[in-house]
Amino acid sequence: MPSNSPKKALDLVKQHDVKIVDVKFMDFIGVWQHFSIPVSELTDDIFENGLGFDGSSIRGWRAINESDMLVIPDAETAIIDPFQQPTTLSLVDDIHEPVTKERFGRCPRGIAVAAENYLKSTGLADTAYFGPEAEFFIFDDVRYDQGQNFGFFHLDSVEAIWNRGREEKPNLGYKIRNKEGYFPVPPTDQLQNIRNEMVMVMEACGIPVERQHHEVATAGQAEIDFRFDSLKSCADKLMLFKYIVKNVAFKNNRTATFMPKPLFGDNGSGMHVHMSLWKNGQPLFAGNQYAGLSEMAQYFIGGILKHTKALNALANPTTNSYKRLTPGFEAPVNLAYSQSNRSAAIRIPMYSPSPKAKRVEFRCPDPSCNPYLAFSAMLLAGLDGVINKIHPGEPLDKNIYDLEPEELAKVPSTCASLEEALNALEDDHDFLLKGDVFSADVIETWVKYKRENEVNALRLRPHPFEFALYYDM
């Protein structure tokens, strides 16, 4: 059976009496886009020749004079959309050139496919497994706006510490103090049921969930962990995961955000990413080195640490990301590795002695990233370490907050801003070009888009806190 046989999709159409087909694809920046067709338009031909659309209207893609593009559905991604009516089949698509049918170079999912193919071509391994832990906030109310003469945001949550004295008729007093959201039982945790609903929908959509819980911050911070998978499949599941979280929240008259740092004075939302390499069904990261690692795993860590600042541009791709990645707090900004130190950029989990569980956890990324690009870049950085035998040096097992200033100064840090990260990516991206996974065009377009639309756009606008600091000067 060919890899993109339409059988799975067409079988679901018959089994569930599908009426509408929703075509979803990833834009360059990291947000799902979609359009829908009646089921009568879903033919075998679409899985080979695709459907046309206007690529000039998608961020970071095509100019208006070269706008024609194709989406080709991946039949293996077919599910019944849990939120749409009438009964709707959901398909994730790849982007292709209309004449040659080649993958479009800026298609994030295509880059993930190229990364997996490059891994196999090295002969080092045949599968890279990824397991992201995406944190998020569930709020009851969000308002924000920006104009020439004003700018503000306002968030609210029934759990929030700032609502201890609010007249709620009645206020029942179960408010989570800052940094005490991990793990009080209900009624203090008031979002247990909505997280359970998210889990049930994820399981029904083929995402195997391992656990869910309230996270550290006040005001509805949450985490739901799903089982690891191969690179592209894991990125597919993460996008479906975010879709489910947002829509279940919306259904319950709440709103969910994966913005890394929506609140001042409490924890932000990260996305620790667990990674391991396998070959012929056997794990390659277990050995007799530090923390039970293999030599390959240590070199993989060396590559990640060497390229972390460049990776920041893809794994922490927003200006807001660096409100979380701030030295001196709990964020993992220290470019070191450890089996126990959660302030290090890389941790080696020690929960299980099984070789199959041996993995490295990259703690810098956050859930605002485009996972196809971020996971691909992480894999390429690690492989660069393995191929070039980049040793990560000595582990950092000391409490970072107890280090003397002279010793702490010797530990390098992640980037402190998106601008710094983009500069780092410009200076250090040859490792991303290996195997034609990323192209120079992709790197240049990413940097240009982020600078013009985010870094410079924010730089030009007064910040509300500046009025508190300077208005009476």
Side-chain angles (χ1 to χ4, degrees):
M1 190 72 68
S3 60
N4 199 28
S5 165
K7 185 178 187 308
K8 178 182 177 181
L10 297 180
D11 284 349
L12 281 174
V13 168
K14 294 176 183 177
Q15 292 166 15
H16 297 273
D17 192 23
V18 166
K19 303 299 185 185
I20 297 291
V21 178
D22 199 50
V23 174
K24 297 180 175 72
F25 61 93
M26 190 65 151
D27 74 6
F28 192 53
I29 306 307
V31 178
W32 254 359
Q33 308 293 325
H34 83 131
F35 62 88
S36 300
I37 60 174
V39 72
S40 59
E41 293 295 308
L42 185 68
T43 63
D44 290 6
D45 178 70
I46 284 175
F47 293 90
E48 181 178 352
N49 295 317
L51 295 162
F53 75 104
D54 175 11
S56 68
S57 297
I58 305 300
R59 297 179 297 176
W61 277 6
R62 281 284 175 79
I64 196 166
N65 61 312
E66 50 179 6
S67 60
D68 288 352
M69 305 190 78
L70 292 176
V71 292
I72 298 182
D74 181 348
E76 289 305 307
T77 66
I79 62 167
I80 300 301
D81 192 302
F83 304 107
Q84 304 305 318
Q85 295 295 330
T87 305
T88 299
L89 184 77
S90 174
L91 291 167
V92 177
D93 296 53
D94 295 307
I95 310 303
H96 290 254
E97 300 285 359
V99 177
T100 65
K101 300 286 180 63
E102 293 178 352
R103 286 184 183 273
F104 176 47
R106 297 182 195 172
C107 170
R109 201 164 184 264
I111 289 171
V113 171
E116 291 185 316
N117 290 339
Y118 172 64
L119 171 64
K120 293 173 185 175
S121 75
T122 66
L124 295 168
D126 53 38
T127 307
Y129 284 117
F130 286 76
E133 300 175 353
E135 298 168 344
F136 55 96
F137 279 86
I138 302 170
F139 293 118
D140 295 302
D141 185 61
V142 55
R143 290 177 285 121
Y144 56 90
D145 206 351
Q146 180 74 49
Q148 184 177 13
N149 64 325
F150 68 92
F152 76 95
F153 70 90
H154 184 275
L155 305 170
D156 210 357
S157 164
V158 69
E159 288 187 343
I161 187 64
W162 58 79
N163 283 324
R164 285 183 301 185
R166 183 172 67 176
E167 179 57 66
E168 295 180 351
K169 299 180 181 179
N171 185 328
L172 300 179
Y174 292 104
K175 309 301 180 187
I176 296 177
R177 288 178 284 272
N178 288 330
K179 300 184 183 298
E180 292 189 18
Y182 192 91
F183 301 145
V185 298
T188 302
D189 176 0
Q190 298 185 46
L191 298 172
Q192 170 73 1
N193 290 341
I194 193 171
R195 294 196 308 271
N196 280 339
E197 184 179 347
M198 291 169 180
V199 169
M200 293 298 97
V201 177
M202 289 175 192
E203 292 269 349
C205 290
I207 300 177
V209 174
E210 294 181 335
R211 69 180 64 186
Q212 65 90 349
H213 58 83
H214 204 289
E215 255 299 340
V216 172
T218 187
Q221 193 180 32
E223 180 177 317
I224 302 175
D225 300 333
F226 62 90
R227 193 166 303 145
F228 65 88
D229 205 341
S230 57
L231 191 158
K232 180 189 70 174
S233 294
C234 184
D236 285 343
K237 286 179 179 175
L238 182 58
M239 293 311 300
L240 179 56
F241 170 98
K242 294 175 76 170
Y243 179 72
I244 291 169
V245 165
K246 291 177 182 178
N247 278 280
V248 170
F250 188 76
K251 174 187 168 187
N252 285 274
N253 202 33
R254 286 185 160 102
T255 177
T257 181
F258 290 88
M259 184 177 178
K261 188 70 172 178
L263 294 182
F264 167 69
D266 212 336
N267 285 34
S269 292
M271 188 179 74
H272 309 148
V273 179
H274 298 254
M275 296 176 282
S276 62
L277 297 182
W278 290 55
K279 187 173 184 178
N280 299 324
Q282 297 300 312
L284 301 179
F285 275 10
N288 57 7
Q289 306 287 315
Y290 171 81
L293 294 173
S294 66
E295 186 176 60
M296 172 185 278
Q298 285 204 313
Y299 291 148
F300 192 92
I301 291 171
I304 294 287
L305 292 177
K306 177 183 177 181
H307 299 297
T308 291
K309 293 197 174 206
L311 292 177
N312 285 153
L314 296 165
N316 308 92
T318 69
T319 58
N320 184 254
S321 298
Y322 300 88
K323 303 293 194 296
R324 167 183 170 259
L325 285 184
T326 304
F329 296 89
E330 294 183 14
V333 300
N334 304 293
L335 298 187
Y337 70 107
S338 173
Q339 66 179 8
S340 57
N341 193 339
R342 291 174 183 262
S343 64
I346 292 182
R347 187 177 74 96
I348 298 90
M350 302 299 289
Y351 299 128
S352 171
S354 170
K356 293 184 177 180
K358 188 55 64 179
R359 60 198 187 274
V360 300
E361 177 190 2
F362 188 36
R363 295 176 62 80
C364 299
D366 68 59
S368 69
C369 71
N370 182 327
Y372 300 100
L373 303 184
F375 294 170
S376 298
M378 292 175 212
L379 174 60
L380 290 168
L383 288 178
D384 187 58
V386 175
I387 292 168
N388 292 296
K389 295 182 167 41
I390 301 171
H391 197 277
E394 294 300 314
L396 181 64
D397 289 332
K398 298 178 182 179
N399 186 337
I400 195 75
Y401 305 111
D402 292 339
L403 293 180
E404 294 296 328
E406 301 79 18
E407 191 174 2
L408 182 60
K410 297 176 183 177
V411 181
S413 297
T414 58
C415 292
S417 68
L418 180 57
E419 183 173 23
E420 182 185 348
L422 295 172
N423 291 340
L425 181 60
E426 279 188 319
D427 293 340
D428 176 27
H429 63 259
D430 286 350
F431 71 100
L432 296 175
L433 306 180
K434 299 292 176 64
D436 295 324
V437 178
F438 288 79
S439 65
D441 171 72
V442 166
I443 303 299
E444 291 166 7
T445 302
W446 182 265
V447 170
K448 181 180 179 182
Y449 180 91
K450 288 286 175 176
R451 277 199 183 126
E452 291 180 357
N453 294 279
E454 298 177 32
V455 173
N456 291 340
L458 187 67
R459 195 198 326 266
L460 291 170
R461 287 165 171 80
H463 189 284
F465 189 57
E466 290 178 317
F467 285 83
L469 290 173
Y470 308 128
Y471 187 77
D472 60 347
M473 296 294 281

